Amino acid sequence: MKATAVAPSNIAFVKYWGKINDELTLPANSSISMNLAQLHTTTTVDFSDDYAEDLVEIQFFNEPLERVQGSKKQRVVDQLNRLRKLANTHMRARVRSINNFPAESGIASSASAFAALTTAASAALQLKVNTRELSILTRLGGSGSATRSIENGYVEWKKSDKSSKSYAVQLAPHNHWDLTDVILIVSTQSKKTSSLEGHGAAASSPFYQARLAELPARLKIIRKAILDKNITTLGIELEKEAISLHVAAMTSVPAILYWESSTISAIKDLYSLRESGIEAYFTMDAGPNVHVICETKNAHLVSDHFKKKAYVQSLFISRAGEGAKIIPNHLF
Ligand code: PMV
C-alpha cells in the first residue's frame, strides 16, 4: 500500500487571504494561481500493519533527509488520519517528502507538500477519488493554497460556505500560455507571522471588506486575461492585487509587514525595466520575496536585469506547470 506523487508549488494571481471556516479551511474569497513546473515536492507514502507509528521525513535540496517531529509532524498525521478514516484503516505510514528547492530559500513548500502528500496517500489507500474530491481532501489539510496545486496549469479555487463546493477548477492547461515566474529571493529569514496567523487577522483590517468587495471584478478580469493571453491586463491587475493583500495585512491587528526594504527596491527596479519596454509584473505572497511574472520569451531579460542586484540573494525561474500526479513504479 504504497504510492508516490509529485506536486508543484504555485503562485497566486488572486490571493487567498482570510477564511470563513477554520476547521474546514473555507476561504473568504476565490483565488487564482499558476502552477510552478520547476518547483515541486515528491512524496512517497507507504502504509503497513508492520509500522507501530507514523514516520515523517522531509528533505530539501542539498540537505540531508530529516525526521520531523512536533507540530510539523502533527499536521501530516492529521491529514493521514482524515484519509485513514475514509479508507477505514488504522495502518500507520512512512512518509518521505523530497523538495527540489532549498529550505531556507523563502519559497513556501506547504502548497506542493500538502498536494503531494494527499495525492500519494489517497492512491496508496486506494481511495476512489476524482480530481475535484482530491482538491477538497487537500484543502482539509489546512494549507488552502495546496488545493490549487491539484489541478493542471492555471487554476481557480472556488469559495463556498459548503465544503463539497469549495474546490479547484482548471481555467486553462499549463501549455495554453507560456508564462514564467522569475522569483527574486531577497530574504531567507523565516517569517515572523505565518500565513495561518495572517488569515486569522485579515478581517480586522478596515480595508479587508473593501478588498473582498473588489475581488469579483478582479477575478473576472484575471480569468479573461488568462484566456486571452493578455499580459498587460494580467500584469496591471496582478500588481493591484498584491498591493491590496499587503495593505490588508499591514493594517490588520496585529499589523503584519511582510516586506523588506529590498522588496521595494525590486519593485522600483522592475518599474525601470518596464520603462525599457519589457512587460513584466510583480506579485508577492505572505513574505518579502518578489515574483516577477512575464512571458517566457522575456524571462532571460528579466533574470539578467535582477541577477546583478546586490539585494537579490538567489533567483529561481519556473514556467507554468501541470498539477499533482502519481509517479508509477517510483523507487523509494
Ligand atoms: O495556503 P496558505 O494557508 O499558506 O496561504 C497562502 C496565502 C498566500 O500565499 C498569501 C496567498 C495564496 O493564495 O497563495
Side-chain angles (χ1 to χ4, degrees), residues 12 15-17 110 142-145 148 195 199 285-286:
K15 318 282 182 187
Y16 147 53
W17 199 240
S110 70
S143 168
S145 53
R148 299 185 306 244
S195 47
H199 293 300
D285 276 341

Side-chain angles (χ1 to χ4, degrees), residues 34-35 38 51 69 113 120 185 191 206 236 259 295 297 308:
M34 171 177 102
N35 283 333
Q38 275 72 39
Y51 303 147
Q69 304 288 0
I185 307 300
K191 48 189 171 195
I236 290 170
W259 297 358
E295 289 181 307
K297 62 176 191 225
K308 19 184 207 281

Side-chain angles (χ1 to χ4, degrees), residues 15-22 25-29 31 75 110 142-146 148 157 191 193-205 208 211 245 249 252-254 256 258 286:
K15 318 282 182 187
Y16 147 53
W17 199 240
K19 288 181 257 193
I20 53 168
N21 184 318
D22 283 338
T25 317
L26 292 175
N29 63 274
S31 54
R75 280 187 75 187
S110 70
S143 168
S145 53
R148 299 185 306 244
W157 169 24
K191 48 189 171 195
T193 317
S194 66
S195 47
L196 198 68
E197 290 168 83
H199 293 300
S204 64
S205 161
Y208 186 65
R211 164 173 166 72
L245 172 113
S252 67
V253 183
I256 309 168
Y258 285 115

Side-chain angles (χ1 to χ4, degrees), residues 2-14:
K2 179 167 154 180
T4 298
V6 60
S9 178
N10 66 68
I11 178 65
F13 291 174
V14 177

Side-chain angles (χ1 to χ4, degrees), residues 45-239:
V45 184
D46 177 19
F47 288 95
S48 168
D49 283 325
D50 297 340
Y51 303 147
E53 58 166 335
D54 292 319
L55 173 83
V56 181
E57 295 171 315
I58 301 183
Q59 186 177 31
F60 284 91
F61 182 71
N62 261 346
E63 282 160 51
L65 193 67
E66 187 201 333
R67 184 184 287 201
V68 297
Q69 304 288 0
S71 62
K72 237 181 187 179
K73 176 177 176 184
Q74 196 52 48
R75 280 187 75 187
V76 174
V77 172
D78 289 347
Q79 184 66 336
L80 292 174
N81 286 343
R82 266 178 213 109
L83 301 169
R84 276 191 278 248
K85 202 166 165 197
L86 288 177
N88 206 7
T89 178
H90 293 288
M91 269 187 290
R92 301 289 110 185
R94 286 189 177 173
V95 176
R96 182 173 289 188
S97 192
I98 315 285
N99 296 283
N100 77 335
F101 48 90
E104 298 303 319
S105 61
I107 296 175
S109 58
S110 70
S112 52
F114 275 87
L117 171 71
T118 312
T119 305
S122 304
L125 290 169
Q126 289 158 19
L127 291 175
K128 298 265 169 293
V129 284
N130 58 29
T131 310
R132 176 181 297 188
E133 290 159 337
L134 194 58
S135 79
I136 293 173
L137 287 173
T138 301
R139 193 199 77 224
L140 293 170
S143 168
S145 53
T147 312
R148 299 185 306 244
S149 288
I150 295 297
E151 264 292 359
N152 180 11
Y154 297 87
V155 178
E156 177 163 350
W157 169 24
K158 300 273 184 196
K159 72 157 187 179
S160 172
D161 52 8
K162 290 199 182 59
S163 185
S164 60
K165 291 200 170 149
S166 181
Y167 48 81
V169 292
Q170 184 188 78
L171 296 175
H174 71 288
N175 52 8
H176 158 75
W177 192 13
D178 198 357
L179 287 189
T180 287
D181 182 3
V182 179
I183 308 168
L184 312 177
I185 307 300
V186 300
S187 167
T188 55
Q189 301 237 311
S190 48
K191 48 189 171 195
K192 287 188 194 74
T193 317
S194 66
S195 47
L196 198 68
E197 290 168 83
H199 293 300
S204 64
S205 161
F207 297 105
Y208 186 65
Q209 289 309 321
R211 164 173 166 72
L212 290 183
E214 68 182 1
L215 283 183
R218 175 159 303 141
L219 284 156
K220 216 167 153 184
I221 294 170
I222 291 199
R223 269 184 223 120
K224 187 170 179 333
I226 291 172
L227 294 179
D228 295 347
K229 302 186 218 174
N230 186 332
I231 187 70
T232 314
T233 307
L234 175 74
I236 290 170
E237 215 52 39
L238 201 62
E239 294 192 349

